[in-house]
Amino acid sequence: MVDERPFIVKVYGRTGSPQCYAVRDFLYRNDVPFEWIELRTDEAARAIGLAGLKDDRLPLCIFADGTRMDRPTIRSISEKLGWFGDPSLTEYDLAIYGAGPAGLSAAVYGASEGLKTVVIERWAVGGQAGSSPKIENYLGFPQGISGAQLAEHAREQACRFGAAILIGREGVRGEFTAGKRVGYLTDGTKIVARAAICATGVDYHRLPVPDEERFHGAGVYYGAGASEASLCVGHHVVVVGGGNSGAQATLHFSQYAPSTTLVIRGDSLKSTVSAYLVDRISAAKNVEVLTETEVTALEGENMLEAVVVTNRKTGASRRIETHWLFACIGGAPRTEWASQAGVVRDEAGYLVTGPDLLQESARPDGWPLDRAPYYLETNVPGLFAAGDVRHNSVKRCASAVGEGAMAVTFVHRYLADG
Ligand SMILES: Cc1cc2nc3c(=O)[nH]c(=O)nc-3n(C[C@H](O)[C@H](O)[C@H](O)COP(=O)(O)OP(=O)(O)OC[C@H]3O[C@@H](n4cnc5c(N)ncnc54)[C@H](O)[C@@H]3O)c2cc1C
């Protein structure tokens, strides 16, 4: 779909540059209208005041008001957009970490119910859902809605109710004393709150292939690549991953690229992908599905030029020329901070809450209250977990939204307990 809104920023750069990709991805996920202008020659670069295509001031961003930023950081773009704020209160009722569907939902319910609410988000609103080109199974949107738009609506809604959303800030450490949940951000900023919700979701698993890091952002991308689809016109695309997100990404790219290969480890999509997506993939003439196959090598000089895929049963390999590989192979939570703070995690790092903390009905060690932990409460009273980061959660947008809302109900009960 072509974005017809007036652009807020023009981004000049080279395809295959990780820095340019980071800027495009950030703007797309935050639903900021932008125009991407690919520079192909030294002359084109000189025309905008650069030395040439190799000028390390790329990417260059020029905002509608004329502001020019050479090689901007995500923080400087956030500042320009007015999103990079410091906490305005010394103490909040509720601090939410992560602005994916769970965090945004908690922000809407928390702020609308009168809690002084702050949300801390490392990258962009929307989380994983923000990278989805079209969410079709979320209630109330029969034609589907892009993840970025859904996130932007939710952000607007949360802000209208008075929630503060701090973008480009990452929670790295927590301290929990009586009645206070203190979170520390990367730059040392301290967020003090009476209750906190961890809604930090999961981070994508990396492709277990040599050279993955070298090509990350230069041909190898994670998620459904919604910001990149329109750049794939005329190119072959490879998608890896046999879940709904891989299938969704494949269908999206098939509308732009002449051909798309979906690589999956299983022997069929049927057991791991929703039926409506399986039907559409089967019907798509320009989609090939390679089952029982995995990516075993990446090739290229400065950017990805080909991938090698190998059949797990026969061992037969095939080289596919492509500049575009999108991996949708699931993720894992990043909750190292929690173990340092004594918060119970499962073996995979998911936060354990409510009934899952009880062992033969016994409350968790050190639990100080004469009630059991609430359903979404961790073993630290007043610290809740919602969405994909939670042990045993259902990995769906609607479930994350539901848990965000539900967590706020328990926050009220916790605060009322005194
Ligand atoms: C490509 C794709 C397509 C999908 N399509 C669908 C679909 O069609 N339907 C559906 O139901 N589900 C879909 N899903 C699944 C759905 O998006 C997730 O289940 C949902 O986003 C989980 O929400 P969440 O808020 O728990 O976590 P996330 O969406 O993972 O959000 C977590 C947020 O926390 C932030 N964060 C992480 N650590 C920190 C930190 N330390 N400090 C501050 N912020 C932090 C992250 O940057 C992120 O924004 C899709 C997933 C993907 C990847």
Side-chain angles (χ1 to χ4, degrees), residues 196-200 335 337-338 342-347 349-359 362-364 367 371-395 399 403-404 406-408 410-411:
I197 298 175
C198 178
T200 51
T335 52
W337 64 269
V343 179
V344 175
R345 307 186 300 161
D346 68 12
E347 281 168 6
Y350 292 92
L351 302 187
V352 182
T353 59
D356 292 328
L357 286 164
L358 307 181
Q359 289 185 349
R363 291 170 190 169
W367 177 255
R371 61 164 175 84
Y374 292 127
Y375 185 61
L376 300 177
E377 196 170 28
T378 67
N379 63 313
V380 174
L383 173 67
F384 299 82
D388 282 13
V389 74
R390 199 177 66 78
H391 169 76
N392 263 345
S393 63
V394 176
K395 308 287 183 279
S399 323
E403 289 198 5
M406 205 198 302
V408 171
F410 294 122
V411 166

CSV table of all heavy atoms in Angstrom, one decimal, residues 196-200 335 337-338 342-347 349-359 362-364 367 371-395 399 403-404 406-408 410-411:
chain,number,residue,atom,x,y,z
A,196,ALA,N,4.8,-2.0,38.9
A,196,ALA,CA,5.4,-2.0,37.5
A,196,ALA,C,4.9,-3.2,36.8
A,196,ALA,O,4.6,-4.3,37.4
A,196,ALA,CB,6.9,-2.1,37.7
A,197,ILE,N,4.8,-3.1,35.5
A,197,ILE,CA,4.5,-4.2,34.6
A,197,ILE,C,5.6,-4.4,33.6
A,197,ILE,O,6.0,-3.4,32.9
A,197,ILE,CB,3.2,-3.9,33.8
A,197,ILE,CG1,2.0,-3.7,34.8
A,197,ILE,CG2,2.9,-5.0,32.8
A,197,ILE,CD1,0.7,-3.3,34.1
A,198,CYS,N,6.1,-5.6,33.5
A,198,CYS,CA,7.1,-5.9,32.5
A,198,CYS,C,6.4,-6.5,31.3
A,198,CYS,O,5.7,-7.5,31.4
A,198,CYS,CB,8.1,-7.0,33.1
A,198,CYS,SG,9.3,-7.4,31.9
A,199,ALA,N,6.5,-5.8,30.2
A,199,ALA,CA,5.8,-6.3,29.0
A,199,ALA,C,6.8,-6.2,27.8
A,199,ALA,O,6.6,-5.6,26.8
A,199,ALA,CB,4.6,-5.4,28.7
A,200,THR,N,8.0,-6.8,28.1
A,200,THR,CA,9.1,-6.6,27.2
A,200,THR,C,9.2,-7.7,26.1
A,200,THR,O,10.2,-7.7,25.3
A,200,THR,CB,10.5,-6.5,27.9
A,200,THR,OG1,10.5,-7.7,28.8
A,200,THR,CG2,10.6,-5.3,28.7
A,335,THR,N,15.6,-11.2,29.8
A,335,THR,CA,15.2,-10.9,31.2
A,335,THR,C,16.4,-11.1,32.1
A,335,THR,O,16.1,-11.5,33.3
A,335,THR,CB,14.0,-11.8,31.6
A,335,THR,OG1,14.4,-13.1,31.3
A,335,THR,CG2,12.8,-11.4,30.8
A,337,TRP,N,18.1,-9.0,33.7
A,337,TRP,CA,17.9,-8.1,34.8
A,337,TRP,C,17.1,-8.8,35.9
A,337,TRP,O,17.3,-8.5,37.1
A,337,TRP,CB,17.2,-6.8,34.4
A,337,TRP,CG,15.8,-7.1,33.9
A,337,TRP,CD1,15.4,-7.4,32.6
A,337,TRP,CD2,14.6,-7.2,34.6
A,337,TRP,NE1,14.1,-7.6,32.5
A,337,TRP,CE2,13.5,-7.5,33.7
A,337,TRP,CE3,14.3,-7.0,36.0
A,337,TRP,CZ2,12.2,-7.7,34.2
A,337,TRP,CZ3,13.0,-7.2,36.4
A,337,TRP,CH2,12.0,-7.5,35.5
A,338,ALA,N,16.1,-9.7,35.5
A,338,ALA,CA,15.2,-10.3,36.5
A,338,ALA,C,15.9,-11.2,37.4
A,338,ALA,O,15.6,-11.2,38.6
A,338,ALA,CB,14.1,-11.0,35.7
A,342,GLY,N,16.2,-11.1,41.6
A,342,GLY,CA,15.5,-12.2,42.4
A,342,GLY,C,14.1,-12.5,41.8
A,342,GLY,O,13.3,-13.1,42.6
A,343,VAL,N,13.9,-12.1,40.6
A,343,VAL,CA,12.5,-12.4,40.0
A,343,VAL,C,12.6,-13.8,39.4
A,343,VAL,O,13.5,-14.1,38.6
A,343,VAL,CB,12.2,-11.4,39.0
A,343,VAL,CG1,10.8,-11.7,38.4
A,343,VAL,CG2,12.2,-10.0,39.6
A,344,VAL,N,11.6,-14.7,39.7
A,344,VAL,CA,11.6,-16.0,39.2
A,344,VAL,C,11.4,-16.1,37.7
A,344,VAL,O,10.4,-15.5,37.2
A,344,VAL,CB,10.6,-16.9,40.0
A,344,VAL,CG1,10.6,-18.3,39.4
A,344,VAL,CG2,10.9,-16.9,41.5
A,345,ARG,N,12.3,-16.8,37.0
A,345,ARG,CA,12.1,-17.1,35.6
A,345,ARG,C,12.1,-18.6,35.3
A,345,ARG,O,12.6,-19.3,36.1
A,345,ARG,CB,13.3,-16.5,34.8
A,345,ARG,CG,13.6,-15.0,35.1
A,345,ARG,CD,14.7,-14.5,34.2
A,345,ARG,NE,16.0,-15.2,34.3
A,345,ARG,CZ,17.0,-15.2,33.4
A,345,ARG,NH1,16.8,-14.5,32.3
A,345,ARG,NH2,18.1,-15.9,33.6
A,346,ASP,N,11.6,-19.0,34.2
A,346,ASP,CA,11.6,-20.4,33.8
A,346,ASP,C,13.0,-20.6,33.1
A,346,ASP,O,13.8,-19.7,32.9
A,346,ASP,CB,10.4,-20.8,33.0
A,346,ASP,CG,10.3,-20.2,31.6
A,346,ASP,OD1,11.3,-19.6,31.2
A,346,ASP,OD2,9.3,-20.3,31.0
A,347,GLU,N,13.2,-21.9,32.6
A,347,GLU,CA,14.5,-22.2,32.0
A,347,GLU,C,14.8,-21.4,30.8
A,347,GLU,O,16.0,-21.1,30.5
A,347,GLU,CB,14.5,-23.7,31.6
A,347,GLU,CG,14.7,-24.6,32.8
A,347,GLU,CD,14.4,-26.0,32.5
A,347,GLU,OE1,14.2,-26.3,31.3
A,347,GLU,OE2,14.5,-26.8,33.4
A,349,GLY,N,13.8,-18.3,30.4
A,349,GLY,CA,14.0,-16.9,30.7
A,349,GLY,C,12.6,-16.1,30.8
A,349,GLY,O,12.6,-14.9,31.1
A,350,TYR,N,11.5,-16.8,30.6
A,350,TYR,CA,10.2,-16.2,30.7
A,350,TYR,C,9.9,-15.9,32.2
A,350,TYR,O,10.3,-16.8,33.1
A,350,TYR,CB,9.1,-17.1,30.1
A,350,TYR,CG,9.2,-17.2,28.6
A,350,TYR,CD1,10.0,-18.2,28.0
A,350,TYR,CD2,8.7,-16.2,27.8
A,350,TYR,CE1,10.1,-18.3,26.6
A,350,TYR,CE2,8.8,-16.3,26.4
A,350,TYR,CZ,9.5,-17.3,25.8
A,350,TYR,OH,9.7,-17.4,24.5
A,351,LEU,N,9.2,-14.9,32.5
A,351,LEU,CA,8.9,-14.5,33.9
A,351,LEU,C,7.7,-15.4,34.4
A,351,LEU,O,6.7,-15.5,33.7
A,351,LEU,CB,8.5,-13.0,34.0
A,351,LEU,CG,9.6,-12.0,33.6
A,351,LEU,CD1,9.2,-10.6,33.9
A,351,LEU,CD2,10.9,-12.3,34.2
A,352,VAL,N,7.8,-16.0,35.5
A,352,VAL,CA,6.8,-16.9,36.1
A,352,VAL,C,5.9,-16.0,36.9
A,352,VAL,O,6.3,-15.2,37.7
A,352,VAL,CB,7.5,-18.0,36.9
A,352,VAL,CG1,6.4,-19.0,37.4
A,352,VAL,CG2,8.5,-18.7,36.0
A,353,THR,N,4.6,-16.2,36.8
A,353,THR,CA,3.6,-15.4,37.5
A,353,THR,C,2.5,-16.3,38.2
A,353,THR,O,2.3,-17.5,37.8
A,353,THR,CB,2.9,-14.4,36.6
A,353,THR,OG1,2.2,-15.2,35.6
A,353,THR,CG2,3.8,-13.4,36.0
A,354,GLY,N,1.8,-15.7,39.1
A,354,GLY,CA,0.6,-16.3,39.7
A,354,GLY,C,0.6,-17.7,40.0
A,354,GLY,O,1.6,-18.2,40.7
A,355,PRO,N,-0.4,-18.5,39.6
A,355,PRO,CA,-0.4,-19.9,40.0
A,355,PRO,C,0.8,-20.7,39.6
A,355,PRO,O,1.1,-21.7,40.3
A,355,PRO,CB,-1.7,-20.4,39.2
A,355,PRO,CG,-2.3,-19.3,38.5
A,355,PRO,CD,-1.5,-18.1,38.7
A,356,ASP,N,1.5,-20.3,38.5
A,356,ASP,CA,2.7,-21.0,38.1
A,356,ASP,C,3.8,-20.9,39.1
A,356,ASP,O,4.8,-21.6,39.1
A,356,ASP,CB,3.2,-20.5,36.8
A,356,ASP,CG,2.2,-20.9,35.6
A,356,ASP,OD1,1.5,-22.0,35.8
A,356,ASP,OD2,2.1,-20.1,34.7
A,357,LEU,N,3.7,-20.0,40.1
A,357,LEU,CA,4.7,-19.8,41.1
A,357,LEU,C,4.5,-20.8,42.3
A,357,LEU,O,5.4,-21.0,43.1
A,357,LEU,CB,4.7,-18.4,41.7
A,357,LEU,CG,5.3,-17.3,40.8
A,357,LEU,CD1,4.8,-15.9,41.3
A,357,LEU,CD2,6.8,-17.4,40.8
A,358,LEU,N,3.3,-21.3,42.4
A,358,LEU,CA,3.0,-22.1,43.5
A,358,LEU,C,3.5,-23.6,43.3
A,358,LEU,O,3.3,-24.1,42.3
A,358,LEU,CB,1.5,-22.2,43.8
A,358,LEU,CG,0.8,-20.8,43.8
A,358,LEU,CD1,-0.7,-20.9,44.1
A,358,LEU,CD2,1.4,-19.9,45.0
A,359,GLN,N,4.1,-24.1,44.4
A,359,GLN,CA,4.5,-25.5,44.3
A,359,GLN,C,3.8,-26.3,45.3
A,359,GLN,O,4.0,-26.0,46.5
A,359,GLN,CB,6.0,-25.6,44.5
A,359,GLN,CG,6.8,-25.0,43.3
A,359,GLN,CD,8.3,-25.2,43.3
A,359,GLN,OE1,8.8,-25.5,44.4
A,359,GLN,NE2,8.9,-24.9,42.2
A,362,ALA,N,2.2,-24.3,47.8
A,362,ALA,CA,3.0,-23.4,48.6
A,362,ALA,C,3.4,-22.1,47.9
A,362,ALA,O,3.7,-22.2,46.7
A,362,ALA,CB,4.2,-24.2,49.1
A,363,ARG,N,3.4,-21.0,48.6
A,363,ARG,CA,3.8,-19.7,48.0
A,363,ARG,C,5.3,-19.7,47.7
A,363,ARG,O,6.0,-20.4,48.4
A,363,ARG,CB,3.3,-18.6,48.9
A,363,ARG,CG,1.8,-18.5,48.9
A,363,ARG,CD,1.3,-17.5,50.0
A,363,ARG,NE,-0.1,-17.7,50.1
A,363,ARG,CZ,-0.8,-17.2,51.0
A,363,ARG,NH1,-0.3,-16.5,52.0
A,363,ARG,NH2,-2.1,-17.4,51.0
A,364,PRO,N,5.7,-18.8,46.8
A,364,PRO,CA,7.2,-18.8,46.5
A,364,PRO,C,8.0,-18.4,47.7
A,364,PRO,O,7.5,-17.7,48.6
A,364,PRO,CB,7.3,-17.8,45.4
A,364,PRO,CG,6.0,-17.1,45.3
A,364,PRO,CD,4.9,-17.9,46.0
A,367,TRP,N,8.1,-14.9,49.8
A,367,TRP,CA,6.9,-14.2,49.5
A,367,TRP,C,6.4,-13.6,50.8
A,367,TRP,O,6.1,-14.3,51.8
A,367,TRP,CB,5.8,-15.1,48.9
A,367,TRP,CG,4.5,-14.4,48.6
A,367,TRP,CD1,3.4,-14.5,49.3
A,367,TRP,CD2,4.2,-13.5,47.5
A,367,TRP,NE1,2.4,-13.7,48.8
A,367,TRP,CE2,2.9,-13.1,47.7
A,367,TRP,CE3,5.0,-12.9,46.5
A,367,TRP,CZ2,2.3,-12.2,46.8
A,367,TRP,CZ3,4.4,-12.0,45.6
A,367,TRP,CH2,3.1,-11.7,45.8
A,371,ARG,N,-1.4,-13.2,51.2
A,371,ARG,CA,-2.2,-13.7,50.1
A,371,ARG,C,-1.3,-14.3,49.1
A,371,ARG,O,0.0,-14.0,49.1
A,371,ARG,CB,-3.0,-12.5,49.4
A,371,ARG,CG,-2.1,-11.4,48.9
A,371,ARG,CD,-2.8,-10.5,47.9
A,371,ARG,NE,-1.9,-9.4,47.5
A,371,ARG,CZ,-1.0,-9.5,46.5
A,371,ARG,NH1,-0.9,-10.6,45.8
A,371,ARG,NH2,-0.3,-8.5,46.2
A,372,ALA,N,-1.8,-15.1,48.2
A,372,ALA,CA,-1.0,-15.7,47.1
A,372,ALA,C,-0.7,-14.6,46.0
A,372,ALA,O,-1.5,-13.7,45.9
A,372,ALA,CB,-1.7,-16.9,46.5
A,373,PRO,N,0.3,-14.8,45.2
A,373,PRO,CA,0.5,-13.8,44.1
A,373,PRO,C,-0.7,-13.8,43.2
A,373,PRO,O,-1.3,-14.8,42.9
A,373,PRO,CB,1.7,-14.4,43.3
A,373,PRO,CG,2.4,-15.3,44.3
A,373,PRO,CD,1.3,-15.8,45.2
A,374,TYR,N,-1.1,-12.6,42.7
A,374,TYR,CA,-2.2,-12.5,41.8
A,374,TYR,C,-1.8,-13.2,40.5
A,374,TYR,O,-0.6,-13.4,40.2
A,374,TYR,CB,-2.5,-11.0,41.5
A,374,TYR,CG,-3.1,-10.3,42.7
A,374,TYR,CD1,-2.6,-9.1,43.1
A,374,TYR,CD2,-4.3,-10.8,43.3
A,374,TYR,CE1,-3.2,-8.4,44.2
A,374,TYR,CE2,-4.8,-10.2,44.4
A,374,TYR,CZ,-4.3,-9.0,44.9
A,374,TYR,OH,-4.8,-8.3,45.9
A,375,TYR,N,-2.8,-13.4,39.6
A,375,TYR,CA,-2.6,-14.2,38.4
A,375,TYR,C,-1.4,-13.7,37.6
A,375,TYR,O,-0.6,-14.6,37.1
A,375,TYR,CB,-3.8,-14.2,37.6
A,375,TYR,CG,-3.8,-15.1,36.4
A,375,TYR,CD1,-3.6,-16.4,36.5
A,375,TYR,CD2,-3.9,-14.6,35.1
A,375,TYR,CE1,-3.5,-17.3,35.4
A,375,TYR,CE2,-3.8,-15.4,34.0
A,375,TYR,CZ,-3.6,-16.7,34.2
A,375,TYR,OH,-3.5,-17.6,33.1
A,376,LEU,N,-1.2,-12.4,37.4
A,376,LEU,CA,-0.1,-12.0,36.5
A,376,LEU,C,1.1,-11.4,37.3
A,376,LEU,O,1.9,-10.7,36.8
A,376,LEU,CB,-0.6,-10.9,35.5
A,376,LEU,CG,-1.6,-11.4,34.5
A,376,LEU,CD1,-2.1,-10.3,33.6
A,376,LEU,CD2,-1.1,-12.6,33.7
A,377,GLU,N,1.0,-11.6,38.6
A,377,GLU,CA,2.1,-11.1,39.5
A,377,GLU,C,3.3,-12.0,39.6
A,377,GLU,O,3.1,-13.2,39.7
A,377,GLU,CB,1.5,-10.8,40.9
A,377,GLU,CG,2.3,-9.9,41.8
A,377,GLU,CD,1.5,-9.5,43.1
A,377,GLU,OE1,0.6,-10.4,43.5
A,377,GLU,OE2,1.7,-8.5,43.6
A,378,THR,N,4.5,-11.4,39.6
A,378,THR,CA,5.7,-12.2,39.8
A,378,THR,C,5.8,-12.5,41.3
A,378,THR,O,5.0,-12.2,42.1
A,378,THR,CB,6.9,-11.5,39.3
A,378,THR,OG1,7.1,-10.4,40.1
A,378,THR,CG2,6.7,-11.0,37.8
A,379,ASN,N,7.0,-13.1,41.6
A,379,ASN,CA,7.2,-13.4,43.0
A,379,ASN,C,7.7,-12.1,43.8
A,379,ASN,O,7.9,-12.2,45.0
A,379,ASN,CB,8.3,-14.5,43.2
A,379,ASN,CG,9.7,-14.0,42.6
A,379,ASN,OD1,9.7,-13.5,41.5
A,379,ASN,ND2,10.7,-14.2,43.4
A,380,VAL,N,7.7,-11.0,43.1
A,380,VAL,CA,7.9,-9.7,43.8
A,380,VAL,C,6.6,-9.0,43.8
A,380,VAL,O,6.1,-8.6,42.8
A,380,VAL,CB,9.0,-8.9,43.0
A,380,VAL,CG1,9.1,-7.5,43.6
A,380,VAL,CG2,10.3,-9.6,43.0
A,381,PRO,N,6.0,-8.8,45.0
A,381,PRO,CA,4.7,-8.1,45.0
A,381,PRO,C,4.7,-6.8,44.3
A,381,PRO,O,5.7,-6.0,44.5
A,381,PRO,CB,4.5,-7.9,46.5
A,381,PRO,CG,5.3,-8.9,47.2
A,381,PRO,CD,6.5,-9.1,46.3
A,382,GLY,N,3.7,-6.5,43.5
A,382,GLY,CA,3.6,-5.2,42.8
A,382,GLY,C,4.4,-5.2,41.5
A,382,GLY,O,4.3,-4.2,40.8
A,383,LEU,N,5.1,-6.3,41.2
A,383,LEU,CA,5.7,-6.4,39.8
A,383,LEU,C,5.0,-7.4,39.0
A,383,LEU,O,4.9,-8.6,39.4
A,383,LEU,CB,7.2,-6.8,40.0
A,383,LEU,CG,7.9,-7.1,38.6
A,383,LEU,CD1,8.1,-5.8,37.8
A,383,LEU,CD2,9.3,-7.6,38.9
A,384,PHE,N,4.4,-7.0,37.9
A,384,PHE,CA,3.6,-7.9,37.1
A,384,PHE,C,4.3,-8.2,35.7
A,384,PHE,O,5.1,-7.4,35.3
A,384,PHE,CB,2.2,-7.2,36.9
A,384,PHE,CG,1.5,-7.0,38.2
A,384,PHE,CD1,1.8,-5.9,39.0
A,384,PHE,CD2,0.5,-7.9,38.6
A,384,PHE,CE1,1.1,-5.7,40.2
A,384,PHE,CE2,-0.1,-7.7,39.9
A,384,PHE,CZ,0.2,-6.6,40.6
A,385,ALA,N,3.8,-9.2,35.1
A,385,ALA,CA,4.3,-9.5,33.7
A,385,ALA,C,3.1,-9.7,32.8
A,385,ALA,O,2.1,-10.4,33.2
A,385,ALA,CB,5.2,-10.7,33.7
A,386,ALA,N,3.2,-9.2,31.6
A,386,ALA,CA,2.1,-9.4,30.7
A,386,ALA,C,2.6,-9.6,29.3
A,386,ALA,O,3.6,-9.0,28.9
A,386,ALA,CB,1.2,-8.1,30.7
A,387,GLY,N,1.9,-10.4,28.5
A,387,GLY,CA,2.2,-10.7,27.1
A,387,GLY,C,3.3,-11.7,26.9
A,387,GLY,O,3.5,-12.6,27.8
A,388,ASP,N,4.0,-11.7,25.8
A,388,ASP,CA,4.9,-12.7,25.4
A,388,ASP,C,6.0,-13.0,26.4
A,388,ASP,O,6.6,-14.1,26.4
A,388,ASP,CB,5.6,-12.4,24.0
A,388,ASP,CG,4.6,-12.6,22.9
A,388,ASP,OD1,3.4,-12.9,23.1
A,388,ASP,OD2,5.1,-12.6,21.7
A,389,VAL,N,6.4,-12.1,27.2
A,389,VAL,CA,7.5,-12.3,28.2
A,389,VAL,C,7.1,-13.2,29.3
A,389,VAL,O,8.0,-13.7,30.0
A,389,VAL,CB,8.0,-10.9,28.7
A,389,VAL,CG1,7.0,-10.3,29.8
A,389,VAL,CG2,9.4,-11.0,29.4
A,390,ARG,N,5.8,-13.5,29.4
A,390,ARG,CA,5.3,-14.2,30.6
A,390,ARG,C,5.3,-15.7,30.3
A,390,ARG,O,5.0,-16.1,29.2
A,390,ARG,CB,3.9,-13.8,30.9
A,390,ARG,CG,3.4,-14.1,32.3
A,390,ARG,CD,2.0,-13.6,32.5
A,390,ARG,NE,1.1,-14.2,31.7
A,390,ARG,CZ,0.5,-15.4,31.9
A,390,ARG,NH1,0.9,-16.1,32.9
A,390,ARG,NH2,-0.4,-15.9,31.1
A,391,HIS,N,5.8,-16.5,31.2
A,391,HIS,CA,5.8,-18.0,31.1
A,391,HIS,C,4.4,-18.5,30.8
A,391,HIS,O,3.4,-18.0,31.4
A,391,HIS,CB,6.3,-18.5,32.5
A,391,HIS,CG,6.1,-20.0,32.6
A,391,HIS,ND1,6.9,-20.9,32.0
A,391,HIS,CD2,5.2,-20.7,33.3
A,391,HIS,CE1,6.5,-22.1,32.4
A,391,HIS,NE2,5.4,-22.0,33.1
A,392,ASN,N,4.3,-19.3,29.8
A,392,ASN,CA,3.0,-19.9,29.4
A,392,ASN,C,2.0,-19.0,28.7
A,392,ASN,O,0.9,-19.3,28.6
A,392,ASN,CB,2.3,-20.5,30.6
A,392,ASN,CG,2.6,-22.0,30.7
A,392,ASN,OD1,3.1,-22.6,29.8
A,392,ASN,ND2,2.3,-22.6,31.9
A,393,SER,N,2.5,-17.8,28.2
A,393,SER,CA,1.6,-16.9,27.6
A,393,SER,C,1.3,-17.4,26.2
A,393,SER,O,2.0,-18.2,25.6
A,393,SER,CB,2.2,-15.5,27.5
A,393,SER,OG,3.3,-15.6,26.7
A,394,VAL,N,0.1,-17.0,25.7
A,394,VAL,CA,-0.3,-17.3,24.3
A,394,VAL,C,0.4,-16.2,23.4
A,394,VAL,O,0.2,-15.1,23.7
A,394,VAL,CB,-1.8,-17.3,24.2
A,394,VAL,CG1,-2.2,-17.6,22.7
A,394,VAL,CG2,-2.4,-18.3,25.1
A,395,LYS,N,1.1,-16.6,22.4
A,395,LYS,CA,1.8,-15.6,21.6
A,395,LYS,C,0.9,-15.1,20.5
A,395,LYS,O,1.1,-15.4,19.4
A,395,LYS,CB,3.1,-16.3,21.0
A,395,LYS,CG,4.0,-17.0,22.1
A,395,LYS,CD,4.7,-16.0,23.0
A,395,LYS,CE,5.6,-16.7,23.9
A,395,LYS,NZ,5.0,-17.3,25.1
A,399,SER,N,-4.1,-11.7,22.9
A,399,SER,CA,-3.8,-12.2,24.2
A,399,SER,C,-2.9,-11.2,25.0
A,399,SER,O,-3.1,-10.9,26.2
A,399,SER,CB,-3.0,-13.5,24.2
A,399,SER,OG,-3.5,-14.3,23.2
A,403,GLU,N,-3.8,-9.4,28.4
A,403,GLU,CA,-3.0,-9.5,29.6
A,403,GLU,C,-2.6,-8.1,30.1
A,403,GLU,O,-2.6,-7.9,31.3
A,403,GLU,CB,-1.8,-10.3,29.4
A,403,GLU,CG,-2.1,-11.8,29.2
A,403,GLU,CD,-0.9,-12.7,29.4
A,403,GLU,OE1,0.2,-12.3,29.7
A,403,GLU,OE2,-1.1,-13.9,29.2
A,404,GLY,N,-2.3,-7.2,29.2
A,404,GLY,CA,-2.0,-5.8,29.6
A,404,GLY,C,-3.1,-5.2,30.4
A,404,GLY,O,-2.9,-4.6,31.4
A,406,MET,N,-5.6,-6.8,31.9
A,406,MET,CA,-5.8,-7.6,33.1
A,406,MET,C,-4.8,-7.2,34.2
A,406,MET,O,-5.1,-7.1,35.4
A,406,MET,CB,-5.7,-9.1,32.8
A,406,MET,CG,-6.5,-10.0,33.7
A,406,MET,SD,-5.9,-11.7,33.6
A,406,MET,CE,-6.1,-12.1,32.0
A,407,ALA,N,-3.6,-7.0,33.8
A,407,ALA,CA,-2.5,-6.7,34.7
A,407,ALA,C,-2.8,-5.4,35.5
A,407,ALA,O,-2.6,-5.3,36.7
A,407,ALA,CB,-1.1,-6.5,34.0
A,408,VAL,N,-3.5,-4.4,34.8
A,408,VAL,CA,-3.8,-3.2,35.4
A,408,VAL,C,-4.9,-3.4,36.6
A,408,VAL,O,-4.8,-2.8,37.6
A,408,VAL,CB,-4.3,-2.1,34.4
A,408,VAL,CG1,-4.9,-0.9,35.1
A,408,VAL,CG2,-3.2,-1.8,33.5
A,410,PHE,N,-5.0,-6.0,38.4
A,410,PHE,CA,-4.3,-6.5,39.6
A,410,PHE,C,-3.4,-5.4,40.2
A,410,PHE,O,-3.2,-5.4,41.4
A,410,PHE,CB,-3.4,-7.7,39.2
A,410,PHE,CG,-4.2,-8.9,38.8
A,410,PHE,CD1,-4.1,-9.5,37.5
A,410,PHE,CD2,-5.2,-9.4,39.7
A,410,PHE,CE1,-4.9,-10.5,37.2
A,410,PHE,CE2,-6.0,-10.5,39.3
A,410,PHE,CZ,-5.8,-11.1,38.0
A,411,VAL,N,-2.9,-4.5,39.4
A,411,VAL,CA,-2.2,-3.3,40.0
A,411,VAL,C,-3.1,-2.6,40.9
A,411,VAL,O,-2.7,-2.2,42.0
A,411,VAL,CB,-1.7,-2.4,38.8
A,411,VAL,CG1,-1.2,-1.0,39.4
A,411,VAL,CG2,-0.6,-3.1,38.0
